[in-house]
Amino acid sequence: MSRKMPLPRPPVQAVVHHENVGRVERLFEPILFGHRLKVILFFVLVSVLLGFQILKLKSDASFQNMIPASHPYIANYLKYENELRPLGNVVRIAVENKRGDIYSQDYLDTLRKITDEVFYIPGVDRSNMRSLWTPNVMWFEVTEEGMTAGHIVPDGFDGSPDKLEQVKTNVVRSGQIGNLVANDHRSTIIMAPLLELDPQTGEKLDYGQFSDRLERLIRQKYENGGIKIHVTGFAKVVGDLIHGARAIGLFFAITFVLACVLLYAYSRCLRSTAVTILCCSLAVIWQMGIVSLLGFGMNPYSILIPFLTFAIGVSHAVQNINTMASEVHGGRSNMAAAKATFRLLFIPGSVALLCDVVGFSTLMVIDIGVIRELAIGASVGVFVIIFTKMFLLPILMSYVGVSPACLRKQERKARSAHRVARTLSRVTEPRVARVVALIALVILGVAWTCSRDLKIGDLDPGAPELRSTSRYNRDNAYTVAHYSSSPDVFVVMVTTRPGECASYPVAAAVERLQWEMENLPGVESTVSLFTGMKKMIAASNGGNLKWSAISRDRYISNEAHRSLPSDLNNNDCSMVPVMLSLSDHKAATLSRVVQAAEKFSAEHSNQDMRFVLAAGNAGIEAATNIVIKQAEVQMLLLVYGIVALLVWWEFRSWRVTVAVMLPLYITSVLCEAIMAKLGLGVKVATLPVIALGVGIGVDYGIYIYNRLEHYLDRGHTLKQAYFETLKTTGTAIAVTGVMLALGVATWVFSDIKFQADMGLLLAFMFLWNMVGAIVMLPALVSLLGASGAARTSTPAVSG
């Protein structure tokens, strides 16, 4: 029979590492435990008040909140927002005839009804709406008698064969084939630009309600065996995200049940499980209530925060249950055990939660509204856990204690051989520690190599926030396949002195820009004011294509300019948009276009004419990618720097700080490598994962080393101290990692792809951070000599 390592009994007194820490604990302990009922009443009143605030929470998804509002590209776009609205936040409704082409009375009557329905939906910019039935869509033709023009659907249309043939002729003459009319003539598009604010009430556009109206008034009302509706655009993406998020209650219920089951399985104590779940639920109520008080709403990104708040609260509370059971098993009363638990966990728990707050709050450096709201909401959620978990839970535990079944399990744990803990404690042996460190370095090297393929932005066509099989992405695929005009438009704005936008120098430079852009991979076509002017000049000269060119004669240019629609320049003729239709909005395509356009602007801009970027949905996407790329490094430096400072403040040792932080860095690089292999780009939906993983992952290391240092201070060797740590805190850490991972892993089944991606990545980071804390941290402590530093640090002060 092998000789077993001695199993020292847990200490009766909690040990605190710094004198100031002891003072903080002694300050709070008599207040909390000397006035328990008053403290409980305070928590009840605050919870009721904040619970009423939750009723005021509303959906708050907006176009401007999803873009980096202070970026120069967006500032340029907003300066000309009214003129560029048809190129920005636009909904495209493709009405497909399943039984033939569009030249039938039934189809055109249906198209007219749908056009009228869309026209009266609140939020639609009616003056810029375009359809075959709207008066701003016309045809032009050069005849022997001069130029003629008219509406595509002629006045007095009665559906007769002659009128239908006239519509067909007008469509061909209008040049709308591939734009508003499908290349196969089996569908047409209704383009509806949107107003972010209602001009009458000033209220923000409710994207969830707008999407529901599209479904109810358009798709459900008119889609049948002969007609099929395809809807694309930013508003529909957000609407579908909001609709998918409505199933969030199911995932929360699953997380709630999983937490209850795992907590009970771990503790075998119904009463401690109940009060723990109660405190974590109160944290969610406080978080949502405070967010409402701050004036924020719920959007498809921030709606995930209550999940994280609840899961983080439960994972931290595992330490309370574990410590409370250990103290009661050691012979203390419920009150004495609760006080000891408070003294032992207050500082490491608070520091760990502050690290979580830092991880979330560093997202504030990203100048995108939804990410900043996510950062604020998540930081608030973690911060309130400090109150519900650190203050309220110990008080409630002082009343309920732990069950006899929990004590029996504690007794079995004390008598167990702890073979797994004994095996894992060998990682502190120098030889094994060197092997672990070598393996970690190999993993880091492989992950770093793979992570070099990580891209910024979207890597898939359509809306990557939704699954490829979603109705939106199927609708988008139909539109791309049947229309020549791409839904991805990048706009370069050419600014001049008022009245000079159609002058020859501007025309020559814009034509040069169009030529260079059209020869760039990823750009399918370009359109500007001068594209139409050349056609009008040719039309004014008998349709001779030799005249299809810009003219130095100002009178000819002015005449051609006056004949064109006013949406090709702004009111005082000081800005001309150049529209680039892109093959997609993938990161590589946008990067090429931005580089080429910026280079052209630098070479050709002067005091009379400037080429400024960017507008259109692709231009806004490019600006978002730029902001994320710039903020990624800054965010990582901040989160690692501030978390490292907090760890150093807690343990006062650079060696310990390195041992705690290095596994987190390896996990971050591994996460980036997995993203690269799975084809996930760094974007609004995935960037927060890295900060969340670091902030939450450091909790494991803090709890592990806090208890390890406790046993080292009692004179144990490093191996003995880590063995004892694994028997107590190590088990709780393993349960915590599994609990967090399972809580977010349920997101994988969400209809919202970005939520599924976040769930997958967070589950990996939570589990791998747990492995890093249990295996890598003690090995690094051994190699760096951090255990010696711990014994020579500030003397312990008994609580």
Side-chain angles (χ1 to χ4, degrees):
M1 187 172 179
S2 62
R3 183 182 176 186
K4 295 184 179 179
M5 185 181 298
L7 305 177
R9 192 175 185 80
V12 175
Q13 289 187 329
V15 175
V16 186
H17 306 294
H18 308 295
E19 270 188 39
N20 61 329
V21 169
R23 286 196 296 268
V24 171
E25 291 169 345
R26 287 195 293 270
L27 171 66
F28 283 112
E29 184 178 318
I31 297 175
L32 293 175
F33 293 95
H35 305 85
R36 290 187 296 172
L37 291 178
K38 292 179 181 179
V39 173
I40 292 174
L41 180 61
F42 168 78
F43 275 90
V44 170
L45 290 176
V46 173
S47 300
V48 170
L49 292 175
L50 293 177
F52 279 113
Q53 288 298 318
I54 295 178
L55 301 177
K56 300 178 182 180
L57 272 177
K58 295 181 179 180
S59 174
D60 186 25
S62 68
F63 179 68
Q64 292 190 9
N65 211 26
M66 303 280 283
I67 62 179
S70 64
H71 190 272
Y73 289 4
I74 306 303
N76 294 333
Y77 160 71
L78 293 177
K79 184 177 179 180
Y80 300 103
E81 182 180 13
N82 290 332
E83 293 85 350
L84 297 172
R85 184 172 290 114
L87 304 174
N89 192 5
V90 180
V91 168
R92 292 174 171 82
I93 304 170
V95 184
E96 179 188 3
N97 188 357
K98 301 286 290 184
R99 295 171 178 166
D101 59 30
I102 64 174
Y103 307 111
S104 70
Q105 181 177 1
D106 289 342
Y107 175 84
L108 290 174
D109 284 344
T110 301
L111 180 65
R112 176 180 55 79
K113 293 176 183 177
I114 295 175
T115 301
D116 291 342
E117 291 276 12
V118 174
F119 184 85
Y120 287 106
I121 293 178
V124 171
D125 182 4
R126 296 164 185 170
S127 62
N128 287 306
M129 182 177 160
R130 290 163 60 84
S131 162
L132 294 188
W133 281 95
T134 57
N136 56 357
V137 178
M138 303 183 69
W139 59 268
F140 296 88
E141 185 179 37
V142 180
T143 66
E144 295 177 353
E145 300 176 354
M147 284 192 298
T148 58
H151 299 142
I152 291 192
V153 179
D155 296 335
F157 175 78
D158 57 7
S160 64
D162 290 343
K163 293 292 185 180
L164 290 173
E165 188 64 30
Q166 187 176 352
V167 170
K168 186 173 184 179
T169 301
N170 292 346
V171 166
V172 174
R173 292 187 294 191
S174 69
Q176 293 294 338
I177 298 175
N179 185 19
L180 289 184
V181 178
N183 294 323
D184 60 2
H185 295 259
R186 295 176 66 90
S187 67
T188 65
I189 281 181
I190 300 170
M191 294 186 65
L194 303 182
L195 298 168
E196 186 72 17
L197 298 176
D198 190 308
Q200 295 180 345
T201 64
E203 294 182 358
K204 287 184 178 181
L205 176 63
D206 187 331
Y207 284 90
Q209 189 179 67
F210 180 83
S211 178
D212 288 342
R213 284 171 172 160
L214 283 178
E215 293 296 323
R216 185 179 70 257
L217 299 176
I218 307 301
R219 200 189 300 268
Q220 294 177 12
K221 187 173 182 179
Y222 294 100
E223 190 170 78
N224 51 48
I227 297 294
K228 188 168 181 62
I229 306 295
H230 308 272
V231 186
T232 58
F234 170 83
K236 196 67 183 75
V237 173
V238 175
D240 286 356
L241 289 176
I242 293 173
H243 183 269
R246 289 171 182 167
I248 208 81
L250 174 62
F251 293 105
F252 191 88
I254 294 173
T255 302
F256 186 88
V257 171
L258 280 174
C260 293
V261 170
L262 287 173
L263 271 179
Y264 181 75
Y266 173 72
S267 66
R268 293 294 194 276
C269 180
L270 186 60
R271 63 186 76 167
S272 58
T273 298
V275 296
T276 297
I277 294 297
L278 172 64
C279 290
C280 296
S281 300
L282 289 181
V284 174
I285 293 173
W286 281 33
Q287 182 267 325
M288 297 178 70
I290 293 173
V291 165
S292 178
L293 281 174
L294 292 175
F296 298 117
M298 299 298 289
N299 58 61
Y301 294 87
S302 64
I303 203 169
L304 305 179
I305 296 174
F307 277 86
L308 290 174
T309 301
F310 182 79
I312 293 169
V314 172
S315 67
H316 278 266
V318 171
Q319 299 292 335
N320 286 64
I321 296 175
N322 178 69
T323 306
M324 183 77 180
S326 177
E327 296 294 333
V328 174
H329 178 255
R332 291 192 169 188
S333 65
N334 288 341
M335 175 66 81
K339 289 182 177 181
T341 300
F342 172 77
R343 289 195 299 268
L344 191 63
L345 296 181
F346 178 73
I347 290 301
S350 298
V351 171
L353 287 168
L354 286 175
C355 288
D356 296 345
V357 172
V358 168
F360 290 121
S361 61
T362 52
L363 294 171
M364 292 288 290
V365 303
I366 305 171
D367 184 24
I368 298 175
V370 290
I371 293 186
R372 288 188 167 177
E373 289 184 14
L374 185 149
I376 293 171
S379 299
V380 168
V382 176
F383 190 74
V384 298
I385 292 174
I386 295 177
F387 293 90
T388 59
K389 185 262 183 186
M390 294 298 171
F391 296 153
L392 179 61
L393 183 56
I395 292 176
L396 295 179
M397 292 291 283
S398 71
Y399 281 108
V400 301
V402 293
S403 66
C406 178
L407 293 177
R408 288 194 294 271
K409 182 179 179 182
Q410 199 71 20
E411 181 66 25
R412 289 194 298 271
K413 286 172 59 179
R415 296 180 181 277
S416 170
H418 298 288
R419 293 186 177 86
V420 174
R422 197 178 303 280
T423 301
L424 286 174
S425 67
R426 294 190 60 195
V427 299
T428 58
E429 298 174 1
R431 184 182 63 177
V432 179
R434 284 192 289 269
V435 173
V436 171
L438 180 61
I439 294 173
L441 288 175
V442 171
I443 292 174
L444 177 61
V446 173
W448 188 86
T449 302
C450 295
S451 68
R452 296 308 90 195
D453 296 329
L454 186 64
K455 306 296 183 184
I456 303 293
D458 293 330
L459 305 183
D460 299 307
E465 296 86 359
L466 301 169
R467 296 189 181 274
S468 58
T469 56
S470 67
R471 182 165 58 187
Y472 180 90
N473 279 325
R474 294 199 304 270
D475 287 349
N476 184 78
Y478 173 86
T479 304
V480 171
H482 291 82
Y483 290 82
S484 300
S485 60
S486 169
D488 298 311
V489 179
F490 187 97
V491 179
V492 178
M493 292 159 281
V494 186
T495 62
T496 67
R497 293 194 301 271
E500 295 295 316
C501 69
S503 63
Y504 178 78
V506 175
V510 169
E511 189 173 46
R512 176 71 180 180
L513 171 65
Q514 291 184 246
W515 183 85
E516 289 194 13
M517 293 295 105
E518 287 172 355
N519 286 279
L520 191 70
V523 178
E524 295 183 340
S525 62
T526 67
V527 176
S528 73
L529 169 68
F530 306 105
T531 306
M533 284 178 59
K534 288 191 289 185
K535 292 180 180 179
M536 296 305 299
I537 292 172
S540 300
N541 290 276
N544 191 332
L545 293 180
K546 292 181 179 180
W547 284 89
S548 183
I550 56 176
S551 175
R552 295 177 183 270
D553 190 318
R554 189 62 180 265
Y555 294 102
I556 294 177
S557 296
N558 289 344
E559 183 63 30
H561 184 197
R562 282 195 296 268
S563 303
L564 292 172
S566 60
D567 58 357
L568 294 175
N569 56 265
N570 66 339
N571 292 334
D572 64 353
C573 194
S574 62
M575 188 278 292
V576 176
V578 181
M579 293 153 279
L580 317 179
S581 293
L582 309 185
S583 56
D584 52 61
H585 58 266
K586 295 180 181 179
T589 303
L590 295 179
S591 180
R592 281 196 302 270
V593 172
V594 167
Q595 290 178 10
E598 289 279 16
K599 181 181 178 182
F600 187 92
S601 175
E603 294 174 352
H604 294 84
S605 293
N606 53 53
Q607 61 181 2
D608 297 322
M609 171 178 52
R610 293 180 62 244
F611 293 82
V612 296
L613 280 60
N617 66 310
I620 293 169
E621 185 83 13
T624 304
N625 291 350
I626 292 170
V627 167
I628 289 176
K629 185 175 183 178
Q630 293 172 344
E632 182 187 16
V633 175
Q634 184 182 2
M635 182 201 74
L636 288 176
L637 289 175
L638 280 173
V639 68
Y640 276 105
I642 299 176
V643 169
L645 283 175
L646 286 171
V647 174
W648 178 86
W649 177 84
E650 164 68 0
F651 300 111
R652 304 300 170 92
S653 169
W654 69 265
R655 294 181 177 89
V656 176
T657 303
V658 171
V660 172
M661 298 301 299
L662 187 57
L664 299 179
Y665 177 70
I666 294 176
T667 303
S668 294
V669 178
L670 272 172
C671 181
E672 292 182 352
I674 290 175
M675 289 172 62
K677 292 302 179 183
L678 292 178
L680 302 176
V682 180
K683 51 189 179 181
V684 173
T686 55
L687 181 58
V689 171
I690 300 173
L692 302 183
V694 174
I696 297 173
V698 75
D699 300 352
Y700 304 145
I702 290 175
Y703 278 120
I704 285 282
Y705 192 81
N706 178 265
R707 183 53 66 93
L708 177 65
E709 187 180 34
H710 164 70
Y711 287 114
L712 289 171
D713 287 340
R714 295 188 66 199
H716 288 66
T717 65
L718 178 60
K719 185 175 180 180
Q720 289 174 331
Y722 191 55
F723 176 66
E724 296 298 326
T725 299
L726 286 172
K727 286 164 52 181
T728 54
T729 301
T731 305
I733 291 295
V735 172
T736 295
V738 172
M739 188 175 300
L740 279 171
L742 288 178
V744 296
T746 58
W747 300 357
V748 173
F749 303 101
S750 173
D751 290 335
I752 303 174
K753 188 174 183 297
F754 84 79
Q755 183 184 357
D757 293 340
M758 286 183 71
L760 177 65
L761 295 174
L762 284 173
F764 165 78
M765 294 189 78
F766 293 156
L767 288 175
W768 192 259
N769 277 330
M770 180 261 291
V771 173
I774 292 177
V775 178
M776 289 180 57
L777 188 152
L780 292 171
V781 167
S782 176
L783 292 177
L784 294 171
S787 58
R791 285 192 294 271
T792 59
S793 62
T794 305
V797 178
S798 61

